[in-house]
Amino acid sequence: MTQLAPYVLLFPLLGFLYCAIVGHRTTRTLAGVVASVAVGASFVCALGVLLGNMGAADADKVRTVTLLPWITSGTLQVSWSLLVDPLSALMITTGSRMGSRREMSQP
C-alpha cells in the first residue's frame, strides 16, 4: 500500500490549488467542502499506507517511493522520493487525521 503515499501529499495540494484559484468565485460552502474532501482523502490514503505497513513482513517495512527523477549525471542519480517506514506511516496518519478533524469541525 505504499503506492498510496504520494496521494497523501497530492490531495491537499489539489484542494489548496482549487481553493486558491477557483474558490473565491464559488460559494464559501463549496470551497469548504472541497477542502474537507481533499484532507479526508489524504487521511484515507495515509490510513491505507499505515495498514499496509503494519501487515508487511519485517524486511518490507521500510520502502522508498520514488516520485520522479531529478538529477541524473553519470552514476549520480538524485530523485524526489518518500521514505515510508513504520514511524513515518504513523506520523502521516496522525497528521492527516488531526488536519481532517480540524477541517471538518470548522463552521
Side-chain angles (χ1 to χ4, degrees), residues 1 4-5 7-8 11 39-53 88-97:
M1 294 296 262
L4 293 175
Y7 297 109
V8 174
F11 284 133
V39 174
S42 174
F43 171 68
V44 170
C45 291
L47 196 59
V49 170
L50 178 67
L51 294 176
N53 198 323
S88 64
L90 181 64
M91 292 303 292
I92 63 172
T93 303
T94 303
S96 63
R97 172 65 183 122

Side-chain angles (χ1 to χ4, degrees), residues 62-87:
V62 178
R63 294 228 172 153
T64 302
V65 179
T66 302
L67 302 176
L68 58 106
W70 186 36
I71 298 172
T72 303
S73 176
T75 59
L76 174 69
Q77 292 183 354
V78 181
S79 60
W80 292 87
S81 302
L82 299 173
L83 178 69
V84 178
D85 61 354
L87 180 61

Side-chain angles (χ1 to χ4, degrees), residues 6 8 10 14 17 26 37 46 63-64 71 80 91 100 102 105:
V8 174
L10 181 66
L14 292 176
L17 291 175
T26 64
V37 167
R63 294 228 172 153
T64 302
I71 298 172
W80 292 87
M91 292 303 292
S100 65
R102 181 187 177 285
S105 67

